[in-house]
Amino acid sequence: MNYVRLPLENTYNTRELGGYQTSNGMTAWKTFLRSDDLKNLSENDLQFLVDYGVSTVIDLRGEKENQEGPHPKESSFYYYNIPLASENAVNMELPLADFRFEDFYIQMLLDKQSGIRQIFTILAEAPNAVLFHCAAGKDRTGVVAALILGSVGVSNADIIANYQITHTYLSVNPSFAKSLAPMTELLRSDAEVMAATLAFIEQTFESIPAYLRQIGVTEDELAAIERKFSVQLVSTK
């Protein structure tokens, strides 16, 4: 069975990247999944992921986040920690009215190219499904999800929609609702933010595949990702 959002007990934002239309088909299910923090996964949750086909976990959190909330022990997963932001990526002293998430995302695209290249190597080579996550599954995870979807020709509209729904799921997560109660704006995933990020990529690099090539992702890796993540649709006419 395939799920849009996985029915786990202790995450609220673990979602599929399968089922999106591409230029010549659709994205495959049980291949790439995005998620919020996994630190509170139950034994049932871990077994569900194993049964769903997850073989590899990419943790985008930093060292401090890992120390405060380490992963549950699960020997079934290959585990990689590739931090995509500094420990103080969001300046809490900056008035929220002045903070622009698209600036954070663009800086990530420029400053963390080595890490993004490493992520795409793992995506190309990993057996079975890969789950990648940060803390909320919104910002670092959202950028990686956009790059993965864009690499196989998913439209900007669908990339933006995949990002935008994050706020809905985070808003029902009691831990985030409580910890960020004074700063609920940090939970938002407005369409305009991802639209601006995609516009920057197109204006600066021409396209997501062109950006990935420029940072060192090889043609063989892009082809491997497309083979495993793209499903050709057969016409019934």
Side-chain angles (χ1 to χ4, degrees), residues 39 61 63-70:
K39 65 184 179 184
R61 300 176 303 158
E63 181 179 357
K64 182 179 179 181
E65 292 171 294
N66 267 287
Q67 291 172 347
E68 294 174 348

Side-chain angles (χ1 to χ4, degrees), residues 3-233:
Y3 295 89
V4 174
R5 182 167 70 109
L6 273 62
L8 302 179
E9 296 171 355
N10 292 317
T11 70
Y12 291 78
N13 195 23
T14 304
R15 293 186 274 135
E16 269 275 4
L17 294 189
Y20 286 100
Q21 182 179 349
T22 65
S23 56
N24 58 357
M26 63 177 284
T27 56
W29 299 91
K30 297 184 178 180
T31 306
F32 301 133
L33 297 90
R34 57 179 295 169
S35 183
D36 47 345
D37 206 334
L38 304 183
K39 65 184 179 184
N40 294 320
L41 288 185
S42 66
E43 290 298 322
N44 288 338
D45 289 336
L46 289 168
Q47 189 60 51
F48 185 96
L49 292 176
V50 171
D51 293 342
Y52 200 74
V54 174
S55 69
T56 302
V57 171
I58 303 175
D59 183 353
L60 307 175
R61 300 176 303 158
E63 181 179 357
K64 182 179 179 181
E65 292 171 294
N66 267 287
Q67 291 172 347
E68 294 174 348
H71 273 131
K73 299 299 181 184
E74 176 48 68
S75 59
S76 299
F77 301 142
Y78 297 101
Y79 173 79
Y80 300 89
N81 183 209
I82 305 175
L84 283 194
S86 66
E87 296 297 333
N88 297 305
V90 177
N91 184 352
M92 297 303 179
E93 296 180 358
L94 187 70
L96 287 179
D98 297 334
F99 184 82
R100 288 164 43 95
F101 274 105
E102 56 264 48
D103 293 340
F104 172 36
Y105 299 171
I106 289 168
Q107 204 61 47
M108 193 187 313
L109 291 167
L110 296 175
D111 292 349
K112 299 297 180 178
Q113 294 179 1
S114 176
I116 292 170
R117 182 176 65 248
Q118 185 182 356
I119 289 166
F120 272 77
T121 297
I122 296 167
L123 296 175
E125 297 178 353
N128 302 320
V130 178
L131 182 151
F132 57 97
H133 77 95
C134 53
K138 179 171 80 75
D139 303 312
R140 292 162 287 187
T141 297
V143 169
V144 172
L147 294 175
I148 294 171
L149 292 170
S151 75
V152 296
V154 173
S155 71
N156 282 2
D158 282 335
I159 293 172
I160 291 167
N162 178 267
Y163 169 78
Q164 193 174 16
I165 196 65
T166 304
H167 173 260
T168 300
Y169 295 136
L170 289 182
S171 65
V172 296
N173 182 334
S175 63
F176 275 99
K178 181 178 180 180
S179 63
L180 292 178
M183 301 173 288
T184 53
E185 288 296 310
L186 294 177
L187 296 177
R188 297 190 63 82
S189 53
D190 294 331
E192 294 78 8
V193 172
M194 184 54 67
T197 305
L198 296 174
F200 168 82
I201 293 173
E202 292 170 357
Q203 293 163 7
T204 309
F205 301 96
E206 185 179 338
S207 66
I208 286 176
Y211 165 79
L212 294 170
R213 292 185 185 98
Q214 181 161 323
I215 69 172
V217 179
T218 69
E219 292 293 344
D220 285 346
E221 289 168 339
L222 289 173
I225 290 169
E226 184 166 12
R227 281 194 301 271
K228 67 167 62 177
F229 193 39
S230 296
V231 177
Q232 303 293 318
L233 298 182

